[in-house]
Coordinates of all heavy atoms in Angstrom, one line a residue:
M66 N -76.6 -105.1 -68.0 CA -76.0 -103.7 -68.1 C -77.0 -102.7 -67.9 O -78.1 -102.7 -68.6 CB -75.4 -103.7 -69.5 CG -74.7 -102.4 -69.8 SD -73.1 -102.1 -69.0 CE -72.2 -103.6 -69.3
S67 N -76.8 -101.8 -67.0 CA -77.8 -100.8 -66.7 C -77.7 -99.6 -67.8 O -76.6 -99.5 -68.4 CB -77.6 -100.2 -65.3 OG -76.5 -99.4 -65.3
G68 N -78.7 -98.8 -67.8 CA -78.6 -97.7 -68.7 C -77.4 -96.8 -68.4 O -76.8 -96.2 -69.3
T69 N -77.2 -96.6 -67.1 CA -76.1 -95.7 -66.7 C -74.7 -96.3 -67.2 O -73.9 -95.5 -67.7 CB -76.0 -95.6 -65.2 OG1 -77.3 -95.3 -64.7 CG2 -75.1 -94.5 -64.7
E70 N -74.5 -97.6 -67.0 CA -73.3 -98.2 -67.5 C -73.1 -98.0 -69.0 O -72.1 -97.8 -69.5 CB -73.3 -99.7 -67.1 CG -73.0 -99.9 -65.6 CD -73.1 -101.4 -65.2 OE1 -74.2 -101.9 -65.2 OE2 -72.0 -102.0 -65.0
K71 N -74.2 -98.2 -69.7 CA -74.2 -98.1 -71.1 C -73.7 -96.7 -71.6 O -73.0 -96.6 -72.5 CB -75.6 -98.4 -71.7 CG -75.6 -98.9 -73.1 CD -77.0 -99.5 -73.4 CE -77.0 -100.1 -74.8 NZ -78.2 -100.9 -75.1
D72 N -74.2 -95.7 -70.8 CA -73.8 -94.3 -71.1 C -72.3 -94.1 -71.1 O -71.8 -93.2 -71.7 CB -74.4 -93.4 -70.1 CG -75.9 -93.2 -70.3 OD1 -76.4 -93.8 -71.4 OD2 -76.6 -92.6 -69.5
R73 N -71.6 -94.9 -70.3 CA -70.1 -94.8 -70.2 C -69.4 -95.1 -71.6 O -68.3 -94.7 -71.8 CB -69.5 -95.7 -69.1 CG -69.9 -95.1 -67.7 CD -69.4 -96.1 -66.6 NE -68.1 -96.7 -66.9 CZ -67.8 -98.0 -66.6 NH1 -68.7 -98.7 -66.0 NH2 -66.7 -98.5 -66.8
F74 N -70.1 -95.9 -72.4 CA -69.5 -96.4 -73.6 C -70.1 -95.8 -74.9 O -69.4 -95.7 -75.9 CB -69.7 -97.9 -73.7 CG -69.0 -98.7 -72.5 CD1 -69.8 -99.1 -71.5 CD2 -67.6 -98.9 -72.6 CE1 -69.2 -99.8 -70.4 CE2 -67.0 -99.5 -71.5 CZ -67.8 -100.0 -70.4
I75 N -71.3 -95.4 -74.8 CA -71.9 -94.8 -76.1 C -72.5 -93.5 -75.8 O -72.9 -93.2 -74.6 CB -72.9 -95.8 -76.7 CG1 -74.1 -96.0 -75.7 CG2 -72.3 -97.0 -77.2 CD1 -75.2 -96.8 -76.4
H76 N -72.7 -92.7 -76.8 CA -73.3 -91.4 -76.6 C -74.4 -91.3 -77.7 O -74.2 -90.6 -78.7 CB -72.2 -90.3 -76.8 CG -71.1 -90.5 -75.7 ND1 -71.3 -90.0 -74.5 CD2 -69.9 -91.0 -75.8 CE1 -70.2 -90.3 -73.8 NE2 -69.3 -90.9 -74.6
A77 N -75.4 -92.1 -77.5 CA -76.5 -92.1 -78.5 C -77.4 -90.9 -78.3 O -77.5 -90.4 -77.2 CB -77.2 -93.4 -78.4
H78 N -78.2 -90.6 -79.3 CA -79.2 -89.5 -79.1 C -80.3 -90.1 -78.3 O -80.9 -89.4 -77.5 CB -79.7 -89.1 -80.5 CG -78.7 -88.4 -81.3 ND1 -78.3 -87.1 -81.0 CD2 -78.0 -88.8 -82.4 CE1 -77.4 -86.7 -81.9 NE2 -77.2 -87.7 -82.8
S79 N -80.6 -91.3 -78.5 CA -81.7 -92.0 -77.7 C -81.0 -93.0 -76.8 O -80.4 -93.9 -77.2 CB -82.6 -92.7 -78.7 OG -83.5 -93.5 -78.0
K80 N -81.3 -92.8 -75.5 CA -80.6 -93.7 -74.5 C -81.7 -94.6 -73.9 O -82.4 -94.2 -73.0 CB -80.0 -92.9 -73.4 CG -78.8 -92.1 -73.9 CD -78.2 -91.2 -72.9 CE -77.0 -90.4 -73.5 NZ -76.6 -89.4 -72.6
V81 N -81.9 -95.8 -74.5 CA -82.9 -96.7 -74.0 C -82.4 -97.4 -72.8 O -81.2 -97.5 -72.5 CB -83.3 -97.7 -75.1 CG1 -83.8 -97.0 -76.3 CG2 -82.0 -98.5 -75.5
C82 N -83.3 -98.0 -72.1 CA -83.0 -98.9 -71.0 C -84.0 -100.0 -71.0 O -85.1 -99.9 -71.5 CB -82.9 -98.2 -69.7 SG -84.4 -97.5 -69.1
K83 N -83.7 -101.1 -70.3 CA -84.5 -102.3 -70.3 C -85.9 -101.9 -69.8 O -86.1 -101.3 -68.8 CB -83.9 -103.3 -69.4 CG -84.6 -104.7 -69.5 CD -83.7 -105.7 -68.9 CE -84.2 -106.1 -67.5 NZ -83.4 -107.2 -66.9
G84 N -86.9 -102.4 -70.5 CA -88.2 -102.3 -70.1 C -88.9 -100.9 -70.3 O -89.9 -100.7 -69.8
E85 N -88.2 -100.1 -71.1 CA -88.8 -98.8 -71.3 C -90.2 -98.8 -71.9 O -91.0 -98.0 -71.6 CB -87.9 -98.0 -72.3 CG -87.9 -96.5 -72.0 CD -86.6 -95.8 -72.5 OE1 -86.5 -95.7 -73.7 OE2 -85.8 -95.4 -71.7
A86 N -90.5 -99.8 -72.7 CA -91.8 -100.0 -73.3 C -92.6 -101.2 -72.6 O -93.5 -101.7 -73.2 CB -91.7 -100.2 -74.8
G87 N -92.2 -101.6 -71.4 CA -92.8 -102.7 -70.8 C -92.2 -104.0 -71.1 O -91.2 -104.1 -71.8
K88 N -92.9 -105.1 -70.7 CA -92.4 -106.4 -71.0 C -92.8 -106.8 -72.4 O -93.7 -107.5 -72.7 CB -93.0 -107.4 -70.0 CG -92.3 -107.3 -68.6 CD -92.5 -108.6 -67.8 CE -91.6 -108.5 -66.6 NZ -91.5 -109.8 -65.8
T89 N -92.0 -106.3 -73.3 CA -92.2 -106.4 -74.8 C -92.1 -107.9 -75.3 O -92.3 -108.1 -76.4 CB -91.3 -105.5 -75.5 OG1 -90.0 -105.5 -75.0 CG2 -91.8 -104.1 -75.4
G90 N -91.6 -108.8 -74.4 CA -91.5 -110.2 -74.8 C -92.8 -110.8 -75.3 O -92.8 -111.7 -76.1
D91 N -93.9 -110.2 -74.8 CA -95.2 -110.7 -75.1 C -95.5 -110.5 -76.6 O -96.4 -111.1 -77.2 CB -96.3 -110.0 -74.3 CG -96.3 -110.5 -72.9 OD1 -95.6 -111.5 -72.6 OD2 -97.1 -110.0 -72.0
W92 N -94.9 -109.5 -77.2 CA -95.2 -109.2 -78.6 C -94.6 -110.1 -79.6 O -95.0 -110.2 -80.7 CB -94.6 -107.8 -79.0 CG -94.9 -106.6 -78.1 CD1 -95.7 -106.6 -77.0 CD2 -94.4 -105.3 -78.3 NE1 -95.7 -105.3 -76.5 CE2 -94.9 -104.5 -77.3 CE3 -93.5 -104.8 -79.2 CZ2 -94.5 -103.2 -77.1 CZ3 -93.1 -103.4 -79.1 CH2 -93.7 -102.7 -78.0
R93 N -93.6 -110.8 -79.1 CA -92.6 -111.4 -80.0 C -93.2 -112.6 -80.8 O -93.9 -113.4 -80.3 CB -91.5 -112.0 -79.1 CG -90.2 -112.2 -79.8 CD -89.1 -112.5 -78.8 NE -89.5 -113.6 -77.9 CZ -89.4 -113.5 -76.5 NH1 -88.9 -112.5 -76.0 NH2 -89.8 -114.5 -75.8
S94 N -92.9 -112.6 -82.1 CA -93.2 -113.8 -82.9 C -92.0 -114.6 -83.2 O -92.1 -115.8 -83.6 CB -93.9 -113.3 -84.2 OG -93.0 -112.5 -85.0
S95 N -90.8 -114.1 -83.0 CA -89.6 -114.9 -83.2 C -88.6 -114.4 -82.2 O -88.6 -113.2 -81.7 CB -89.0 -114.8 -84.6 OG -88.7 -113.5 -84.9
R96 N -87.7 -115.3 -81.8 CA -86.7 -114.9 -80.8 C -85.3 -115.1 -81.3 O -85.0 -116.0 -82.1 CB -86.9 -115.8 -79.5 CG -86.6 -117.3 -79.7 CD -86.6 -118.0 -78.4 NE -87.9 -118.0 -77.7 CZ -88.0 -118.3 -76.4 NH1 -86.9 -118.6 -75.7 NH2 -89.2 -118.3 -75.9
P97 N -84.3 -114.3 -80.8 CA -83.0 -114.5 -81.2 C -82.3 -115.7 -80.5 O -82.5 -115.9 -79.3 CB -82.3 -113.2 -80.7 CG -83.1 -112.7 -79.6 CD -84.5 -113.2 -79.8
Q98 N -81.6 -116.4 -81.3 CA -80.8 -117.6 -80.7 C -79.4 -117.4 -81.1 O -79.1 -117.2 -82.3 CB -81.4 -118.9 -81.3 CG -81.1 -120.1 -80.6 CD -81.9 -121.3 -81.1 OE1 -81.7 -121.7 -82.2 NE2 -82.9 -121.7 -80.3
I99 N -78.5 -117.5 -80.1 CA -77.1 -117.2 -80.4 C -76.3 -118.6 -80.5 O -76.5 -119.4 -79.7 CB -76.4 -116.4 -79.2 CG1 -77.2 -115.1 -79.1 CG2 -75.0 -116.2 -79.5 CD1 -76.7 -114.2 -77.9
D100 N -75.6 -118.7 -81.6 CA -74.7 -119.9 -81.8 C -73.3 -119.5 -81.1 O -72.6 -118.7 -81.6 CB -74.6 -120.1 -83.3 CG -73.7 -121.3 -83.6 OD1 -73.0 -121.8 -82.7 OD2 -73.7 -121.8 -84.7
P101 N -73.0 -120.2 -80.0 CA -71.8 -119.9 -79.3 C -70.5 -120.2 -80.1 O -69.5 -119.5 -79.9 CB -71.8 -120.9 -78.1 CG -73.2 -121.4 -78.0 CD -73.8 -121.3 -79.4
S102 N -70.6 -121.0 -81.1 CA -69.5 -121.4 -81.9 C -69.1 -120.2 -82.9 O -68.1 -120.2 -83.5 CB -69.6 -122.7 -82.7 OG -70.6 -122.5 -83.7
K103 N -70.1 -119.3 -83.1 CA -69.9 -118.2 -84.0 C -69.7 -116.9 -83.3 O -69.3 -115.9 -83.9 CB -71.1 -118.1 -85.0 CG -71.1 -119.2 -86.0 CD -72.3 -118.9 -87.0 CE -72.5 -120.1 -87.9 NZ -73.7 -119.9 -88.7
C104 N -70.2 -116.8 -82.0 CA -70.1 -115.5 -81.3 C -68.7 -115.2 -80.8 O -68.2 -116.1 -80.0 CB -71.1 -115.6 -80.1 SG -71.0 -114.2 -79.0
T105 N -68.2 -114.2 -81.2 CA -66.7 -113.8 -80.9 C -66.4 -113.9 -79.5 O -65.4 -114.6 -79.1 CB -66.4 -112.5 -81.5 OG1 -66.8 -112.5 -82.9 CG2 -64.9 -112.2 -81.4
P106 N -67.0 -113.2 -78.5 CA -66.6 -113.3 -77.1 C -66.8 -114.7 -76.5 O -66.0 -115.1 -75.7 CB -67.5 -112.3 -76.4 CG -68.6 -112.0 -77.4 CD -68.1 -112.2 -78.7
M107 N -67.8 -115.4 -77.0 CA -68.1 -116.7 -76.4 C -67.0 -117.7 -77.0 O -66.6 -118.6 -76.3 CB -69.5 -117.2 -76.8 CG -70.6 -116.3 -76.0 SD -72.2 -116.4 -76.7 CE -72.9 -117.9 -76.0
K108 N -66.7 -117.5 -78.2 CA -65.7 -118.4 -78.9 C -64.3 -118.2 -78.3 O -63.6 -119.1 -78.0 CB -65.7 -118.1 -80.4 CG -65.2 -119.2 -81.3 CD -65.5 -119.0 -82.7 CE -64.8 -117.7 -83.2 NZ -65.0 -117.5 -84.6
N109 N -64.0 -116.9 -78.1 CA -62.6 -116.6 -77.6 C -62.5 -116.5 -76.1 O -61.4 -116.3 -75.5 CB -62.1 -115.3 -78.2 CG -62.0 -115.4 -79.7 OD1 -61.9 -116.5 -80.3 ND2 -62.1 -114.3 -80.4
Q110 N -63.7 -116.5 -75.4 CA -63.7 -116.3 -73.9 C -63.0 -115.0 -73.5 O -62.3 -115.0 -72.5 CB -63.1 -117.5 -73.2 CG -64.0 -118.8 -73.3 CD -65.3 -118.6 -72.6 OE1 -65.4 -118.4 -71.4 NE2 -66.4 -118.7 -73.3
R111 N -63.2 -114.0 -74.3 CA -62.7 -112.7 -74.0 C -63.7 -111.6 -74.4 O -64.4 -111.8 -75.4 CB -61.4 -112.4 -74.8 CG -60.2 -113.2 -74.3 CD -59.1 -113.2 -75.2 NE -58.7 -111.8 -75.6 CZ -57.8 -111.6 -76.5 NH1 -57.2 -112.5 -77.1 NH2 -57.5 -110.3 -76.9
P112 N -63.9 -110.6 -73.6 CA -64.8 -109.5 -73.9 C -64.5 -108.8 -75.2 O -63.4 -108.2 -75.3 CB -64.8 -108.6 -72.7 CG -63.6 -109.0 -71.9 CD -63.1 -110.3 -72.4
S113 N -65.3 -108.9 -76.2 CA -65.1 -108.2 -77.4 C -66.4 -108.1 -78.2 O -67.4 -108.7 -77.8 CB -64.1 -108.9 -78.3 OG -64.5 -110.3 -78.5
C114 N -66.4 -107.4 -79.3 CA -67.6 -107.2 -80.1 C -68.8 -106.6 -79.4 O -68.8 -105.4 -79.3 CB -68.0 -108.6 -80.7 SG -69.3 -108.5 -81.9
F115 N -69.7 -107.4 -79.0 CA -70.9 -106.9 -78.3 C -71.7 -105.9 -79.1 O -72.3 -104.9 -78.6 CB -70.6 -106.3 -76.9 CG -70.0 -107.3 -75.9 CD1 -68.8 -107.0 -75.3 CD2 -70.6 -108.5 -75.7 CE1 -68.2 -107.9 -74.4 CE2 -70.1 -109.4 -74.8 CZ -68.9 -109.1 -74.2
I116 N -71.6 -106.0 -80.4 CA -72.4 -105.2 -81.4 C -73.9 -105.4 -81.1 O -74.7 -104.4 -81.2 CB -72.1 -105.6 -82.8 CG1 -70.6 -105.4 -83.1 CG2 -72.9 -104.8 -83.8 CD1 -70.1 -104.0 -83.5
C117 N -74.3 -106.6 -80.8 CA -75.7 -106.8 -80.5 C -76.2 -106.0 -79.3 O -77.3 -105.5 -79.3 CB -75.9 -108.3 -80.2 SG -74.8 -109.1 -79.1
W118 N -75.3 -105.9 -78.3 CA -75.6 -105.1 -77.1 C -75.8 -103.6 -77.5 O -76.7 -102.9 -77.0 CB -74.5 -105.2 -76.1 CG -74.4 -104.2 -75.0 CD1 -75.1 -104.2 -73.9 CD2 -73.6 -103.1 -75.0 NE1 -74.8 -103.1 -73.1 CE2 -73.9 -102.4 -73.8 CE3 -72.6 -102.5 -75.8 CZ2 -73.2 -101.2 -73.4 CZ3 -72.0 -101.4 -75.5 CH2 -72.3 -100.7 -74.3
L119 N -74.9 -103.2 -78.4 CA -74.9 -101.8 -78.8 C -76.1 -101.4 -79.5 O -76.7 -100.3 -79.4 CB -73.6 -101.5 -79.6 CG -73.4 -100.1 -80.1 CD1 -73.1 -99.2 -78.9 CD2 -72.2 -100.0 -81.0
Y120 N -76.6 -102.3 -80.4 CA -77.7 -102.0 -81.3 C -79.1 -102.3 -80.8 O -80.1 -101.8 -81.3 CB -77.5 -102.6 -82.7 CG -76.6 -101.9 -83.6 CD1 -75.2 -102.2 -83.6 CD2 -77.1 -100.9 -84.4 CE1 -74.4 -101.5 -84.4 CE2 -76.2 -100.1 -85.2 CZ -74.8 -100.4 -85.2 OH -74.0 -99.7 -86.0
C121 N -79.2 -103.2 -79.8 CA -80.5 -103.6 -79.3 C -81.3 -102.4 -78.8 O -80.9 -101.6 -77.9 CB -80.4 -104.6 -78.1 SG -82.0 -105.0 -77.4
P122 N -82.4 -102.1 -79.4 CA -83.2 -100.9 -79.1 C -83.9 -101.0 -77.7 O -84.5 -100.0 -77.3 CB -84.2 -100.8 -80.2 CG -84.4 -102.2 -80.7 CD -83.0 -102.9 -80.5
D123 N -83.9 -102.2 -77.2 CA -84.6 -102.4 -75.9 C -83.6 -102.6 -74.7 O -84.1 -102.8 -73.6 CB -85.6 -103.5 -76.0 CG -86.9 -103.2 -75.3 OD1 -87.1 -102.0 -75.0 OD2 -87.7 -104.1 -75.2
G124 N -82.4 -102.5 -75.0 CA -81.4 -102.6 -73.9 C -81.4 -103.9 -73.2 O -81.1 -104.0 -72.0
V125 N -81.7 -105.0 -73.9 CA -81.9 -106.3 -73.2 C -80.8 -107.3 -73.4 O -80.8 -108.4 -72.9 CB -83.3 -107.0 -73.6 CG1 -84.4 -106.1 -73.2 CG2 -83.3 -107.3 -75.0
V126 N -79.8 -106.9 -74.1 CA -78.6 -107.8 -74.3 C -77.6 -107.4 -73.2 O -77.3 -106.3 -73.0 CB -78.0 -107.6 -75.7 CG1 -76.8 -108.5 -75.9 CG2 -79.0 -107.8 -76.8
K127 N -77.1 -108.5 -72.6 CA -76.1 -108.3 -71.5 C -74.7 -108.5 -72.1 O -74.4 -109.5 -72.8 CB -76.4 -109.3 -70.4 CG -75.7 -109.0 -69.1 CD -76.2 -109.9 -68.0 CE -75.4 -109.8 -66.8 NZ -75.7 -110.9 -65.8
R128 N -73.8 -107.5 -71.8 CA -72.4 -107.6 -72.2 C -71.7 -108.6 -71.3 O -71.0 -108.2 -70.5 CB -71.8 -106.2 -72.2 CG -71.4 -105.6 -73.5 CD -71.0 -104.2 -73.4 NE -70.3 -103.9 -72.1 CZ -69.1 -103.4 -72.1 NH1 -68.4 -103.1 -73.2 NH2 -68.5 -103.1 -70.9
S129 N -71.9 -109.8 -71.6 CA -71.3 -110.9 -70.7 C -70.9 -112.0 -71.5 O -71.2 -112.1 -72.7 CB -72.3 -111.3 -69.6 OG -73.5 -111.8 -70.3
I130 N -70.2 -113.0 -70.9 CA -69.8 -114.2 -71.5 C -70.4 -115.3 -70.7 O -70.0 -115.5 -69.5 CB -68.2 -114.4 -71.6 CG1 -67.7 -113.2 -72.4 CG2 -67.9 -115.7 -72.3 CD1 -66.1 -113.1 -72.3
P131 N -71.3 -116.1 -71.2 CA -71.9 -115.9 -72.5 C -72.8 -114.7 -72.6 O -73.3 -114.2 -71.6 CB -72.8 -117.2 -72.7 CG -73.2 -117.6 -71.3 CD -72.0 -117.2 -70.4
V132 N -73.0 -114.2 -73.8 CA -73.9 -113.1 -74.1 C -75.3 -113.6 -73.7 O -75.7 -114.7 -74.1 CB -73.9 -112.7 -75.6 CG1 -74.9 -111.6 -75.9 CG2 -72.5 -112.2 -75.9
E133 N -76.0 -112.8 -73.0 CA -77.4 -113.2 -72.5 C -78.4 -112.1 -73.0 O -78.1 -110.9 -73.1 CB -77.4 -113.2 -71.0 CG -76.6 -114.4 -70.4 CD -76.6 -114.3 -68.9 OE1 -77.2 -113.5 -68.3 OE2 -75.8 -115.2 -68.4
I134 N -79.6 -112.7 -73.4 CA -80.7 -111.8 -73.8 C -81.9 -112.0 -72.9 O -82.3 -113.2 -72.7 CB -81.1 -112.1 -75.3 CG1 -79.9 -111.8 -76.2 CG2 -82.3 -111.4 -75.7 CD1 -80.1 -112.3 -77.6
D135 N -82.4 -111.0 -72.3 CA -83.5 -111.1 -71.4 C -84.8 -111.2 -72.3 O -85.3 -110.2 -72.8 CB -83.6 -109.9 -70.5 CG -84.6 -110.0 -69.4 OD1 -85.6 -110.8 -69.6 OD2 -84.5 -109.4 -68.4
L136 N -85.3 -112.4 -72.3 CA -86.5 -112.7 -73.2 C -87.8 -112.2 -72.6 O -88.8 -112.1 -73.3 CB -86.6 -114.2 -73.5 CG -85.4 -114.7 -74.4 CD1 -85.5 -116.2 -74.5 CD2 -85.4 -114.1 -75.8
D137 N -87.8 -111.7 -71.4 CA -89.0 -111.1 -70.8 C -89.3 -109.7 -71.6 O -90.4 -109.3 -71.7 CB -88.8 -110.7 -69.4 CG -89.2 -111.9 -68.5 OD1 -89.7 -112.9 -69.0 OD2 -88.9 -111.9 -67.3
Y138 N -88.2 -109.1 -72.1 CA -88.3 -107.8 -72.7 C -88.0 -107.8 -74.2 O -88.3 -106.8 -74.8 CB -87.4 -106.8 -71.9 CG -87.8 -106.6 -70.5 CD1 -87.2 -107.3 -69.5 CD2 -88.8 -105.7 -70.2 CE1 -87.6 -107.2 -68.2 CE2 -89.2 -105.5 -68.9 CZ -88.6 -106.2 -67.9 OH -89.0 -106.0 -66.6
C139 N -87.2 -108.8 -74.6 CA -86.8 -108.8 -76.1 C -88.1 -108.8 -76.9 O -88.9 -109.6 -76.7 CB -86.0 -110.0 -76.4 SG -85.8 -110.4 -78.1
K140 N -88.2 -107.8 -77.9 CA -89.4 -107.7 -78.7 C -89.3 -108.5 -80.0 O -90.2 -108.5 -80.8 CB -89.8 -106.3 -78.9 CG -88.7 -105.5 -79.7 CD -89.2 -104.1 -80.1 CE -89.4 -103.1 -79.0 NZ -88.1 -102.6 -78.5
G141 N -88.1 -109.1 -80.2 CA -88.0 -110.0 -81.4 C -87.8 -109.2 -82.7 O -88.2 -109.6 -83.7
C142 N -87.3 -108.0 -82.6 CA -87.2 -107.1 -83.7 C -86.2 -107.6 -84.8 O -86.2 -107.3 -85.9 CB -86.8 -105.7 -83.3 SG -85.2 -105.5 -82.6
G143 N -85.2 -108.4 -84.3 CA -84.2 -109.0 -85.2 C -83.0 -108.0 -85.6 O -82.2 -108.4 -86.4
I144 N -83.0 -106.9 -84.9 CA -81.9 -105.9 -85.3 C -80.5 -106.6 -84.9 O -79.5 -106.5 -85.6 CB -82.1 -104.6 -84.6 CG1 -83.3 -103.9 -85.2 CG2 -80.8 -103.7 -84.6 CD1 -83.7 -102.6 -84.5
C145 N -80.5 -107.2 -83.7 CA -79.2 -107.9 -83.3 C -78.7 -108.9 -84.3 O -77.6 -109.0 -84.7 CB -79.4 -108.5 -81.9 SG -80.8 -109.7 -81.9
A146 N -79.7 -109.7 -84.9 CA -79.3 -110.7 -85.9 C -78.8 -110.0 -87.2 O -77.9 -110.5 -87.8 CB -80.5 -111.6 -86.2
E147 N -79.4 -108.9 -87.5 CA -79.0 -108.1 -88.7 C -77.6 -107.6 -88.5 O -76.8 -107.6 -89.5 CB -80.0 -107.0 -89.0 CG -81.2 -107.3 -89.7 CD -81.0 -107.8 -91.1 OE1 -80.2 -107.2 -91.8 OE2 -81.7 -108.9 -91.4
E148 N -77.3 -107.1 -87.3 CA -76.0 -106.4 -87.1 C -74.9 -107.3 -86.7 O -73.7 -106.8 -86.8 CB -76.2 -105.3 -86.0 CG -77.2 -104.2 -86.4 CD -76.8 -103.4 -87.6 OE1 -75.6 -103.3 -87.9 OE2 -77.7 -102.8 -88.3
C149 N -75.1 -108.5 -86.2 CA -74.1 -109.3 -85.8 C -73.1 -109.6 -86.9 O -73.5 -110.1 -88.0 CB -74.6 -110.7 -85.3 SG -73.3 -111.8 -84.9
P150 N -71.8 -109.2 -86.8 CA -70.9 -109.4 -87.9 C -70.5 -110.8 -88.2 O -70.0 -111.1 -89.3 CB -69.6 -108.6 -87.4 CG -69.8 -108.6 -85.9 CD -71.2 -108.6 -85.6
T151 N -70.8 -111.7 -87.3 CA -70.4 -113.1 -87.6 C -71.6 -114.0 -87.9 O -71.5 -115.2 -88.0 CB -69.6 -113.8 -86.4 OG1 -70.5 -113.8 -85.3 CG2 -68.3 -113.0 -86.1
K152 N -72.8 -113.4 -88.0 CA -74.1 -114.1 -88.2 C -74.3 -115.2 -87.1 O -74.7 -116.3 -87.4 CB -74.1 -114.7 -89.6 CG -74.0 -113.7 -90.7 CD -75.2 -112.8 -90.7 CE -75.0 -111.6 -91.7 NZ -75.8 -110.4 -91.3
A153 N -73.9 -114.8 -85.9 CA -74.1 -115.8 -84.8 C -75.5 -115.9 -84.3 O -75.9 -116.8 -83.6 CB -73.2 -115.4 -83.7
I154 N -76.3 -114.9 -84.7 CA -77.7 -114.8 -84.1 C -78.7 -115.2 -85.2 O -78.7 -114.6 -86.3 CB -78.0 -113.4 -83.6 CG1 -77.0 -113.0 -82.5 CG2 -79.5 -113.4 -83.0 CD1 -77.2 -111.6 -81.9
T155 N -79.6 -116.1 -84.9 CA -80.6 -116.5 -85.8 C -81.9 -116.2 -85.2 O -82.1 -116.5 -84.0 CB -80.5 -118.0 -86.1 OG1 -79.2 -118.3 -86.5 CG2 -81.5 -118.5 -87.2
M156 N -82.9 -115.7 -85.9 CA -84.2 -115.5 -85.4 C -85.0 -116.8 -85.6 O -85.2 -117.2 -86.7 CB -84.9 -114.3 -86.0 CG -84.2 -113.0 -85.8 SD -84.0 -112.5 -84.1 CE -85.6 -112.2 -83.5
V157 N -85.5 -117.4 -84.5 CA -86.3 -118.6 -84.6 C -87.8 -118.3 -84.2 O -88.0 -117.5 -83.3 CB -85.7 -119.8 -83.8 CG1 -84.3 -120.1 -84.3 CG2 -85.7 -119.4 -82.3
E158 N -88.7 -119.1 -84.8 CA -90.1 -118.8 -84.6 C -90.4 -119.1 -83.1 O -89.9 -120.1 -82.5 CB -90.9 -119.8 -85.4 CG -92.4 -119.4 -85.4 CD -93.2 -120.4 -86.2 OE1 -92.7 -121.1 -87.0 OE2 -94.5 -120.4 -86.1
E159 N -91.2 -118.2 -82.5 CA -91.6 -118.3 -81.1 C -92.7 -119.3 -81.0 O -93.7 -119.3 -81.8 CB -92.1 -117.0 -80.6 CG -92.4 -116.9 -79.2 CD -91.1 -116.9 -78.3 OE1 -90.2 -116.1 -78.6 OE2 -91.1 -117.7 -77.4
K160 N -92.6 -120.3 -80.1 CA -93.6 -121.3 -79.9 C -94.4 -120.8 -78.6 O -94.0 -121.0 -77.5 CB -93.0 -122.6 -79.7 CG -92.2 -123.1 -80.8 CD -92.8 -124.3 -81.6 CE -92.0 -124.9 -82.6 NZ -91.5 -124.0 -83.7
K161 N -95.6 -120.2 -78.9 CA -96.3 -119.7 -77.8 C -96.8 -120.7 -76.7 O -96.9 -120.4 -75.6 CB -97.6 -118.9 -78.3 CG -97.2 -117.7 -79.0 CD -96.7 -116.6 -78.1 CE -96.4 -115.3 -78.9 NZ -95.5 -114.4 -78.1
D162 N -97.0 -121.9 -77.2 CA -97.5 -123.0 -76.3 C -96.4 -123.8 -75.7 O -96.6 -124.8 -75.1 CB -98.5 -123.9 -77.0 CG -98.0 -124.4 -78.3 OD1 -96.9 -124.0 -78.7 OD2 -98.7 -125.2 -79.0
A163 N -95.1 -123.4 -76.0 CA -94.0 -124.2 -75.5 C -93.7 -124.0 -74.0 O -94.0 -123.0 -73.5 CB -92.7 -123.9 -76.3
Ligands
LIG352 S1 -72.8 -109.2 -82.3 FE1 -72.7 -111.4 -82.7 S2 -70.6 -112.0 -82.4 FE2 -70.9 -110.0 -81.5 S3 -71.3 -110.4 -79.3 FE3 -73.3 -110.3 -80.3 S4 -73.8 -112.4 -80.9 FE4 -71.6 -112.3 -80.4
LIG353 S1 -84.4 -109.2 -81.2 FE1 -82.3 -108.5 -80.6 S2 -82.2 -106.3 -81.0 FE2 -84.4 -106.9 -80.9 S3 -85.1 -106.6 -78.8 FE3 -84.4 -108.7 -79.0 S4 -82.3 -108.8 -78.4 FE4 -82.8 -106.6 -78.8

């Protein structure tokens, strides 16, 4: 989802877009992992919720089925996991040597 498309749905004071602070994936100590059995759009196969997309400060969550997160840019802040209403997102430790 591009920054322009995002603007059609939200009117935030701060309009972030992917990669605004560079490839922040390098900073990450933990990564978000989505459980498809708990994620509303993935479970129902219908576009809905996408709260994680709305709150991600780096604009790296794709409003798609399945929901996708661009790990090149995800900084591992955990906001998506905090905001997910169904607790479908778990932050797991990043394995640097994996
Ligand atoms: S906020 Fe949670 S339930 Fe909603 S789309 Fe994101 S992962 Fe799925
Ligand atoms: S942890 Fe979640 S909210 Fe934070 S940058 Fe990654 S996808 Fe976005």
Side-chain angles (χ1 to χ4, degrees):
M66 180 71 50
S67 71
T69 309
E70 283 174 289
K71 206 166 187 171
D72 289 350
R73 287 173 40 218
F74 299 99
I75 60 171
H76 302 278
H78 292 289
S79 171
K80 294 174 183 171
V81 297
C82 63
K83 188 166 101 176
E85 208 156 74
K88 286 205 172 187
T89 43
D91 284 354
W92 309 355
R93 206 172 46 232
S94 60
S95 60
R96 67 168 64 199
Q98 198 169 70
I99 303 176
D100 180 346
S102 70
K103 292 184 184 171
C104 172
T105 307
M107 292 161 85
K108 204 167 60 176
N109 299 337
Q110 289 296 299
R111 288 170 48 187
S113 58
C114 185
F115 298 125
I116 300 278
C117 49
W118 164 82
L119 184 64
Y120 278 92
C121 174
D123 223 10
V125 300
V126 180
K127 196 170 171 192
R128 243 171 37 121
S129 59
I130 302 170
V132 174
E133 291 172 5
I134 296 173
D135 188 335
L136 293 172
D137 276 350
Y138 294 94
C139 164
K140 62 170 74 71
C142 65
I144 291 173
C145 54
E147 280 294 317
E148 297 297 336
C149 175
T151 63
K152 301 294 172 209
I154 304 177
T155 307
M156 297 304 291
V157 298
E158 190 184 346
E159 188 71 50
K160 301 250 187 302
K161 290 290 179 198
D162 52 354

